[in-house]
Amino acid sequence: VISVIFFFFKQKTAYEISACLVGSEMCIRDRQSTWGQINCIMEEQATTQQDYSHAEEAHTDPNAEDTRNESQVFSYNADWLIYALGFSCNPNYKFRIGIGSFKEETENVVEIIQLNEQAGVFEKKVTFQHKYPPTKLMWIPDMSGNQEDILATTGEILKIWKIKDNKEMVESKDLINKSDFSAPLTSFDWNSENINLIGTASIDTTCT
């Protein structure tokens, strides 16, 4: 079984932004009535052996396999505009996503949601406050699941958040740009080869 996952997130603006994880395509089109919503389209490719009792008459290969694609759509509606989104790669928590709010106020929110495959719905696992809208959210690039369960966000500073048992945020640390007059961080990336390295970008044209 091969699974291909697509994620779409909508914002209550004049645009609908659809980002596809397959390739690097992104399409933007006008939309009037969108809200903070995630749509997950899961496509499973199932391969089965065909019935070839009349293979000679049909002139088909009796060794061929029948491949069918079956799609399911799972949605999650947030209570606010979704501005940041990060997909966890921890194998212990399949189909887990962190999402960040965009509120025109100081106090914003980060939510951690996970797909309940049996119920077919996203469930909210953890919620915590975030100062200002997170410009980017990213989980530690741990494909083995052996590291501590942490995620990082950027806003006015770089923050690291520790999650315990996928149930609560137990610790947070502010890493850089602690000055009251430092420029906000616009983005960052986490080095997958050395998880101790994070690079950030700022609106004052610097990278750290």
Side-chain angles (χ1 to χ4, degrees):
V1 176
I2 301 175
S3 296
V4 181
I5 311 296
F6 301 88
F7 280 95
F8 304 87
F9 62 95
K10 299 181 179 180
Q11 302 183 14
K12 192 179 180 183
T13 63
Y15 304 98
E16 177 180 350
I17 303 176
S18 300
C20 177
L21 294 182
V22 179
S24 58
E25 299 179 358
M26 178 175 285
C27 61
I28 301 176
R29 71 174 186 266
D30 291 338
R31 183 84 175 201
Q32 296 297 325
S33 58
T34 59
W35 186 244
Q37 182 184 67
I38 294 175
N39 292 323
C40 168
I41 304 176
M42 183 185 300
E43 182 175 285
E44 294 187 351
Q45 189 177 75
T47 302
T48 58
Q49 194 73 31
Q50 293 183 0
D51 179 9
Y52 291 104
S53 58
H54 303 287
E56 293 183 0
E57 292 84 348
H59 302 289
T60 57
D61 182 0
N63 296 318
E65 294 179 327
D66 179 25
T67 300
R68 295 171 299 153
N69 293 330
E70 298 178 355
S71 298
Q72 289 180 286
V73 179
F74 306 98
S75 297
Y76 179 80
N77 292 286
D79 296 328
W80 22 257
L81 305 183
I82 298 172
Y83 191 68
L85 181 148
F87 199 155
S88 170
C89 59
N90 189 323
N92 299 319
Y93 302 109
K94 192 177 180 182
F95 304 130
R96 183 176 62 166
I97 310 170
I99 56 176
S101 69
F102 182 83
K103 298 181 180 182
E104 295 183 5
E105 54 192 68
T106 302
E107 294 301 322
N108 276 258
V109 182
V110 171
E111 280 187 0
I112 298 173
I113 62 175
Q114 187 172 8
L115 180 65
N116 182 326
E117 295 184 78
Q118 292 183 341
V121 296
F122 279 106
E123 297 176 338
K124 186 189 304 183
K125 296 296 185 179
V126 184
T127 302
F128 54 89
Q129 296 296 309
H130 190 283
K131 190 176 181 180
Y132 302 111
T135 55
K136 185 172 181 179
L137 183 154
M138 189 174 182
W139 294 86
I140 183 172
D142 176 26
M143 301 296 293
S144 64
N146 296 325
Q147 302 295 327
E148 288 187 313
D149 196 19
I150 59 177
L151 60 86
T153 59
T154 46
E156 86 285 13
I157 56 176
L158 175 65
K159 293 178 177 286
I160 300 294
W161 312 84
K162 182 179 178 181
I163 310 302
K164 181 179 179 181
D165 300 328
N166 208 32
K167 295 180 180 179
E168 60 180 333
M169 189 277 294
V170 295
E171 186 179 353
S172 66
K173 291 184 179 180
D174 300 340
L175 294 188
I176 60 175
N177 282 10
K178 294 184 179 181
S179 169
D180 292 338
F181 303 101
S182 60
L185 300 177
T186 54
S187 187
F188 74 97
D189 200 10
W190 207 323
N191 191 307
S192 59
E193 297 296 326
N194 184 348
I195 60 174
N196 295 313
L197 297 177
I198 295 179
T200 64
S202 172
I203 62 173
D204 65 1
T205 71
T206 62
C207 292
T208 304

